[in-house]
């Protein structure tokens, strides 16, 4: 007899399940699955349920999954639905999509230990000290932003080919000495591991259900990239159109990126401002606008190499190219300040509390920034950098062109 769900239970229950399948589920999860009239999940997950215990209609997720969620839920409205998820449904799982669609009050979530918890238990790594990077449905290039000497990473694999892709990326980014361990079928009867070093990695693809543990080791000759703004200029492919390191650090400080915020980087050049905005936090977003197609392609390459492939590059001239872009939290203007309507349009796009930062080296643009400073306040500063260079048998200072920077936070009273 099918057990009845507890009174007041939401119609949709999300059940985490591991590689240990039915045997590894607690009583509450089993009860929910037995009581369900509809069972939704991936084919592998559905196959873990005993047919004599779980009699509900079985529905496999279509691909792509996320767009299918509203239709599937609507098709089974009014029925008891159980959705299967790997491990913890709220950790890079389907639980997020279901919460966004139905609201937290309409869901009951029964988590299982995540692959991260199981992997850390096997490795002896403290979970709180281990960074997690998912490559499920995401490009491997995003791993590059997390590579730091001595750092421990867990990579959630998309498939059996992911370990090889991780090893290749580590070699390309100067982390060939890093150690890798692949943990397959965690928690299941077929659990196994194999390991090696990225620069000599030769393992063939194994099981599709795997997690890759990485102990980062940087090659002695690899360029060192820190976590704060002001990466070495050599980190960027460029044709000279690059906001130099020290000015870039000051510019990012004025822009003040915060988690989840969106930047417009107008006049992208080499993309350095947008790249380092995105590296500030994984949830930051950025759009860079560059009218030169060659430079736009170069920005894309820089973003991928430095671990932020999600950077959106718009090829076109501002302000026309700004039309239709999502409203920004901050705007940086690195070029084209004197283009008619550019500064007006960028400032108007900001909501109260939004920040605008503009840099220039020309007198004409400086005069424009001075006028905007007079009207709207903020800070107007001149940044001057000099570097020590040989002068005959001695050493002297070589002065770079000074940069005038205007930064302002828009208030509710400010108008165009």
């Amino acid at each position: 007899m099918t057990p009845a769900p507890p009174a007041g239970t939401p119609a949709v229950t999300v059940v985490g399940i591991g590689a240990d399948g039915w045997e590894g589920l607690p009583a509450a999860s089993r009860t929910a699955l037995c009581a369900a009239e509809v069972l939704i999940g991936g084919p592998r997950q559905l196959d873990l349920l005993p047919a004599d215990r779980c009699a509900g209609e079985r529905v496999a997720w279509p691909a792509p999954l996320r767009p299918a969620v509203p239709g599937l839920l609507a098709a089974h409205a009014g029925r008891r639905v159980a959705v299967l998820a790997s491990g913890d449904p709220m950790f890079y799982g389907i639980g997020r999509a279901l919460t966004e669609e139905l609201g937290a009050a309409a869901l009951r979530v029964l988590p299982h230990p995540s692959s991260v918890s199981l992997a850390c238990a096997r490795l002896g790594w403290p979970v709180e000290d281990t960074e997690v990077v998912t490559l499920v449905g995401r490009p491997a290039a995003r791993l590059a932003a997390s590579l730091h000497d001595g750092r421990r990473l867990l990579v959630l694999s998309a498939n059996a080919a992911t370990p090889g892709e991780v090893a290749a990326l580590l070699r390309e980014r100067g982390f060939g000495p890093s150690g890798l361990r692949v943990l397959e079928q965690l928690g299941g009867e077929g659990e196994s591991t194999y390991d090696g070093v990225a620069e000599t990695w030769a393992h063939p693809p194994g099981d599709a259900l795997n997690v890759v543990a990485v102990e980062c080791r940087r090659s002695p000759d690899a360029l060192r990239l820190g976590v704060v703004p002001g990466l070495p200029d050599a980190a960027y492919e460029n044709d000279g159109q690059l906001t130099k390191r020290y000015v870039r650090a000051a510019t990012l400080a004025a822009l003040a990126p915060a988690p989840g915020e969106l930047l417009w980087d107008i006049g992208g050049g080499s993309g350095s401002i947008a790249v380092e905005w995105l590296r500030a936090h994984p949830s930051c977003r950025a759009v860079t606008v560059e009218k030169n197609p060659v430079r736009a392609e170069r920005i894309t390459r820089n973003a991928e190499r430095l671990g932020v492939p999600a950077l959106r590059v718009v090829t076109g001239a501002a302000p026309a190219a700004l039309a239709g872009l999502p409203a920004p939290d901050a705007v940086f203007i690195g070029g084209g300040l004197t283009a008619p309507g550019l500064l007006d349009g960028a400032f108007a796009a900001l909501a109260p509390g939004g920040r605008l930062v503009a840099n220039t080296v020309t007198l004409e643009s400086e005069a424009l920034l001075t006028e905007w400073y007079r009207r709207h306040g903020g800070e107007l500063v001149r940044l001057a950098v000099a570097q020590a260079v040989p002068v005959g048998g001695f050493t002297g200072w070589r002065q770079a062109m000074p940069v005038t920077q205007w930064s302002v936070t828009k208030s509710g009273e400010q108008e165009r």
Side-chain angles (χ1 to χ4, degrees), residues 65-132:
L65 186 153
R66 184 61 179 89
V69 170
L72 270 181
L73 294 177
H76 300 290
R79 305 175 73 188
R80 293 192 301 273
V81 175
V83 177
L84 289 166
S86 294
D88 185 345
M90 301 306 297
F91 187 72
Y92 292 113
I94 190 63
R96 175 174 181 168
L98 294 173
T99 301
E100 291 172 352
E101 188 66 30
L102 297 174
L107 290 178
R108 181 187 184 206
V109 180
L110 303 174
H112 187 275
S114 70
S115 58
V116 169
S117 294
L118 293 173
C120 285
R122 305 294 189 269
L123 296 163
W125 291 3
V127 177
E128 68 271 18
D129 292 337
T130 303
E131 184 172 353
V132 179

Side-chain angles (χ1 to χ4, degrees), residues 48-258:
L48 295 172
L49 304 184
D52 60 333
R53 303 284 296 277
C54 304
E57 177 187 353
R58 301 191 178 206
V59 179
W61 286 115
L65 186 153
R66 184 61 179 89
V69 170
L72 270 181
L73 294 177
H76 300 290
R79 305 175 73 188
R80 293 192 301 273
V81 175
V83 177
L84 289 166
S86 294
D88 185 345
M90 301 306 297
F91 187 72
Y92 292 113
I94 190 63
R96 175 174 181 168
L98 294 173
T99 301
E100 291 172 352
E101 188 66 30
L102 297 174
L107 290 178
R108 181 187 184 206
V109 180
L110 303 174
H112 187 275
S114 70
S115 58
V116 169
S117 294
L118 293 173
C120 285
R122 305 294 189 269
L123 296 163
W125 291 3
V127 177
E128 68 271 18
D129 292 337
T130 303
E131 184 172 353
V132 179
V133 180
T134 180
L135 299 185
V136 179
R138 296 166 174 85
R142 71 192 305 268
L143 178 62
S146 300
L147 300 180
H148 301 284
D149 197 35
R151 189 72 169 147
R152 288 172 167 174
L153 309 176
L154 278 181
V155 181
L156 307 183
S157 294
N159 50 48
T162 300
E165 294 173 358
V166 169
L169 185 140
L170 290 168
R171 292 193 298 270
E172 293 167 2
R173 300 303 195 277
F175 280 79
S178 300
L180 280 75
R181 175 170 293 182
V182 180
L183 302 96
E184 299 180 336
Q185 291 286 335
L186 279 165
E189 293 182 359
E191 180 175 325
S192 63
T193 65
Y194 56 93
D195 53 27
V197 176
E199 58 193 3
T200 58
W201 190 262
H203 291 283
D207 193 276
L209 190 63
N210 72 82
V211 174
V212 185
V214 182
E215 294 197 80
C216 296
R217 295 289 181 271
R218 181 170 54 88
S219 299
D221 58 346
L223 190 64
R224 186 180 185 280
L225 304 179
V227 297
V228 299
L231 298 182
D233 292 344
Y236 294 94
E237 178 188 347
N238 70 87
D239 61 358
Q241 292 297 310
L242 173 71
T243 302
K244 299 300 191 290
R245 181 179 192 176
Y246 301 104
V247 174
R248 190 185 329 127
T251 300
L252 266 295
L255 286 167

